[in-house]
Amino acid sequence: MNWRSIKAIYVFEMTRTFRTILQSIVSPVLSTILYFVVFGAAIGGRIESVEGVSYGAFIVPGLIMLTLLQQSVTNASFGIYFPKFIGTIYELLSAPVNFIEIVIGYVGAAATKSIMIAVIILATSTFFVDLRIEHPVWMVAFLLLTGISFALLGFIIGIWAKNFEQLQLVPLLIITPLVFLGGSFYSVSMLPEGWRTVTFFNPVLYLISGFRWSFYGISDVPIAVSLAAVALFMAACLGVIWWIFRSGWRLRP
Amino acid sequence: MGAIIEIKGLSKTYDGGFTALKSVDLTIEEGEILALLGPNGAGKTTMISAICGLVQPTGGTVRVGGHDIVTDYRRARELIGLVPQEITIEPFETVGNTVAFSRGVFGKKRDDARIEEVLRSLSLWDKRNSKNNELSGGMRRRVLIAKALSHDPRVLFLDEPTAGVDVTLRKDMWNLVRQLRASGVTIILTTHYIEEAEEMADRIGVIDRGELMLVQEKSQMLSQLGQKELHVELAEPISELPPALAPFDVTLGNGGHHLSYRFDRSAERTGITRLIAAIAEAGLVLSDVSTRQSSLEDVFLRLVEEHGA
């Protein structure tokens, strides 16, 4: 394993984050605070508690997951798309690195950034609601697994995208609706029977449910199913990336 | 010195069916400057890209420093530095960080002293904290070279290094290439500037339509393929060539005022003496006589024309 190359990519990407700190960190944190204000104060005033948890506290895992997913995908897709767009990808492709090292560098940086933001949001939320974390180790595990898995997805999107519109397409049109409809702001048990069945086809439900379980011990689906869903998703993304580098698809003609 | 790059049957056909390289064989000696000359779309960049790992060859093998570029790509790529044709650098990053990143991504240990040395050699040290998008075009090109040199490659590929740069910068670039060669770096440059190849290269390869048509020592190429022309201006115009000049490959031009005769300067007998005698025998009066050495450009154009015919 070429750790120096991995470190170079990782540090370069992280430097970009801190160079654009307003866009990278402050902006998503501010958006999440607004969610707290709107959903927590406005809706929370009408819904006292969900399964014994105050509504404000109930939505915290969903909000963190929303940001984590969006940021992981966006950071990783932009991280690899930008060198493609400006042409500096030539250096990466001509360097003595393999696809695992490239992925660790880019996906590692993207996941780090998104997890950093998630932790900041978690800390910020303590100013608004009373939080308890029943399974802190599992919470960290879910943060890591989800951050890495969706950064892998973002990496694939960054390689697939031929323009900035395509780059935004998946996060805006797929990820955000899936998160909103995956139980971020409500429990699946609150839905009518038909919608409940539909929701179980939403993969994000399993992430949010597992993550919420690590906080309050309540979940829409069994924790083992949530873990299996994340693991399966990660394996699928790794498989696709392996194929991309093996075939050279959209990288090496 | 031995061969640093050995290319055997290198081919590349893109998915659309376009064949950019047709079974290219080439051996590049360590320490030499090889210029690949060819018109736009000839396959020069594809060839470099295939060697550097940017394009997947569809046939053949390439070994760099004895390492296969596919099966032993890490060792092969460690030896290579690439300066692409387009100026492609991270616009918002500083010069110093950009160059240091290149060294790191090639797996080399951080070495600030080496980065300083590279930047100083390219007159970029004063700009190390400047962002790349604040630099002039010439400086950005030098940043690209600094990036390529940051990991101390033994082979440097320069793809159209002086495309679109002014005369002064071009001369600077040539001097830099000579310095690099003096330090032991093997240089392969592509260009469609004949002057550039003539000025710098030890050997010249002519590539057209994906085929490497010729690779020769520059001087040998010029002496073997270089021809001279004898130009004769006549005091009085003639309407057709007199019978005395029929045995010679002479062309009449400029309204009957001009005779031109192409000859091989390396031939034992050029035919000039007999031609002059024949002109005198025909009773023609000369007003001027001159000769012109064909340049590399003439050689190149002739090869490409012959190849296209």
Side-chain angles (χ1 to χ4, degrees):
Chain A
M1 192 69 82
N2 192 341
W3 291 107
R4 286 195 189 120
S5 302
I6 294 171
K7 184 184 166 194
I9 296 168
Y10 182 86
V11 169
F12 200 76
E13 282 298 293
M14 291 308 291
T15 306
R16 190 156 56 80
T17 304
F18 292 111
R19 201 173 53 224
T20 55
I21 197 149
L22 267 178
Q23 180 199 326
S24 300
I25 294 177
V26 178
S27 166
V29 170
L30 186 66
S31 306
T32 312
I33 291 171
L34 289 174
Y35 277 122
F36 270 122
V37 173
V38 173
F39 285 93
I43 300 175
R46 293 165 186 266
I47 305 172
E48 221 167 81
S49 68
V50 180
E51 298 182 37
V53 180
S54 74
Y55 185 73
F58 179 84
I59 65 169
V60 171
L63 280 178
I64 293 174
M65 219 24 117
L66 170 71
T67 308
L68 184 67
L69 264 55
Q70 284 177 332
Q71 288 298 315
S72 301
V73 171
T74 307
N75 285 324
S77 60
F78 188 80
I80 190 69
Y81 177 76
F82 194 58
K84 268 178 57 188
F85 178 70
I86 61 173
T88 52
I89 191 93
Y90 83 87
E91 188 166 42
L92 206 58
L93 298 176
S94 62
V97 289
N98 64 21
F99 92 95
I100 296 171
E101 291 150 358
I102 293 174
V103 169
I104 292 175
Y106 278 102
V107 169
T112 305
K113 279 185 248 178
S114 57
I115 290 169
M116 269 168 47
I117 294 166
V119 170
I120 292 171
I121 291 169
L122 179 65
T124 310
S125 67
T126 58
F127 293 106
F128 294 90
V129 290
D130 288 328
L131 275 183
R132 67 170 198 272
I133 303 172
E134 287 188 7
H135 308 285
V137 175
W138 282 111
M139 189 211 74
V140 173
F142 265 104
L143 266 184
L144 286 173
L145 282 172
T146 310
I148 293 168
S149 301
F150 278 76
L152 288 169
L153 174 67
F155 191 81
I156 295 168
I157 293 167
I159 291 173
W160 163 77
K162 286 182 175 172
N163 51 49
F164 279 98
E165 191 189 8
Q166 287 186 348
L167 198 66
Q168 298 292 335
L169 212 63
V170 175
L172 281 178
L173 297 185
I174 298 175
I175 303 291
T176 305
L178 284 180
V179 177
F180 271 81
L181 300 173
S184 305
F185 303 106
Y186 54 85
S187 166
V188 176
S189 61
M190 295 162 76
L191 295 174
E193 181 58 35
W195 281 112
R196 201 182 304 167
T197 309
V198 170
T199 305
F200 282 116
F201 287 99
N202 181 353
V204 175
L205 168 76
Y206 300 89
L207 302 176
I208 294 174
S209 171
F211 195 51
R212 186 170 286 136
W213 171 84
S214 70
F215 279 76
Y216 310 118
I218 54 171
S219 62
D220 291 315
V221 290
I223 182 69
V225 177
S226 290
L227 275 174
V230 183
L232 196 69
F233 183 67
M234 186 185 275
C237 288
L238 281 171
V240 171
I241 292 172
W242 172 80
W243 172 80
I244 286 172
F245 277 89
R246 191 169 178 268
S247 65
W249 183 73
R250 297 211 171 164
L251 283 177
R252 284 190 177 95
Chain B
M1 290 197 189
I4 185 85
I5 297 179
E6 296 161 280
I7 303 170
K8 285 179 186 162
L10 184 65
S11 305
K12 175 63 188 175
T13 302
Y14 287 98
D15 287 344
F18 173 69
T19 300
L21 286 177
K22 297 172 188 166
S23 193
V24 170
D25 294 311
L26 176 63
T27 301
I28 299 168
E29 299 298 321
E30 184 152 23
E32 73 169 327
I33 299 180
L34 175 78
L36 283 173
L37 210 55
N40 289 331
K44 306 184 294 289
T45 300
T46 302
M47 187 168 152
I48 285 185
S49 300
I51 299 169
C52 294
L54 304 179
V55 161
Q56 299 187 91
T58 45
T61 59
V62 180
R63 295 177 78 81
V64 181
H67 308 288
D68 187 275
I69 60 159
V70 177
T71 57
D72 194 10
Y73 68 94
R74 281 189 196 269
R75 302 291 298 278
R77 289 184 197 170
E78 277 170 7
L79 303 176
I80 297 174
L82 168 65
V83 181
Q85 188 174 341
E86 303 291 331
I87 298 178
T88 49
I89 41 176
E90 167 83 45
F92 309 112
E93 193 49 87
T94 63
V95 170
N97 282 349
T98 306
V99 177
F101 168 75
S102 298
R103 183 174 173 85
V105 88
F106 270 76
K108 284 289 179 96
K109 195 177 173 183
R110 180 177 167 167
D111 188 343
D112 294 342
R114 176 60 187 146
I115 298 297
E116 180 179 342
E117 195 183 347
V118 170
L119 290 178
R120 283 192 188 281
S121 73
L122 290 155
S123 308
L124 286 169
W125 180 243
D126 294 342
K127 298 285 180 186
R128 65 190 179 281
N129 294 320
S130 301
K131 287 185 177 172
N132 290 320
N133 60 2
E134 295 166 356
L135 305 179
S136 67
M139 281 188 179
R140 285 186 209 181
R141 200 169 278 278
R142 274 185 274 162
V143 172
L144 280 179
I145 297 174
K147 282 165 73 66
L149 294 175
S150 66
H151 64 280
D152 307 316
R154 278 168 62 193
V155 181
L156 183 67
F157 286 95
L158 296 163
D159 195 1
E160 307 271 1
T162 56
V165 304
D166 62 33
V167 177
T168 313
L169 183 60
R170 189 175 299 174
K171 303 265 182 198
D172 287 349
M173 200 70 77
W174 292 353
N175 286 333
L176 176 69
V177 169
R178 288 192 194 97
Q179 286 170 22
L180 288 171
R181 199 267 291 273
S183 68
V185 178
T186 305
I187 293 160
I188 296 100
L189 64 95
T190 70
T191 182
H192 54 250
Y193 294 125
I194 313 289
E195 186 193 5
E196 194 157 88
E198 203 161 0
E199 177 75 24
M200 286 198 296
D202 299 313
R203 284 197 306 157
I204 292 170
V206 178
I207 187 167
D208 187 39
R209 299 179 196 193
E211 284 183 59
L212 191 61
M213 296 153 53
L214 186 76
V215 184
Q216 271 189 338
E217 297 285 333
K218 179 179 65 183
S219 53
Q220 193 184 1
M221 182 182 279
L222 280 169
S223 67
Q224 281 187 5
L225 294 171
Q227 292 189 324
K228 276 191 133 180
E229 279 182 356
L230 175 73
H231 297 276
V232 176
E233 297 297 329
L234 301 175
E236 296 294 330
I238 55 174
S239 56
E240 59 182 24
L241 286 173
L245 299 185
F248 300 93
D249 183 17
V250 172
T251 51
L252 181 63
N254 193 21
H257 274 104
H258 183 96
L259 295 175
S260 65
Y261 169 65
R262 187 180 284 183
F263 62 95
D264 185 349
R265 68 174 179 171
S266 60
E268 200 173 320
R269 290 179 177 275
T270 60
I272 294 173
T273 313
R274 287 188 297 115
L275 176 67
I276 298 291
I279 290 172
E281 186 190 325
L284 302 177
V285 179
L286 312 186
S287 65
D288 191 20
V289 174
S290 63
T291 61
R292 190 178 79 85
Q293 167 76 55
S294 63
S295 67
L296 194 54
E297 185 161 0
D298 298 320
V299 174
F300 170 71
L301 289 174
R302 208 172 79 223
L303 278 168
V304 172
E305 276 169 17
E306 281 170 12
H307 186 234

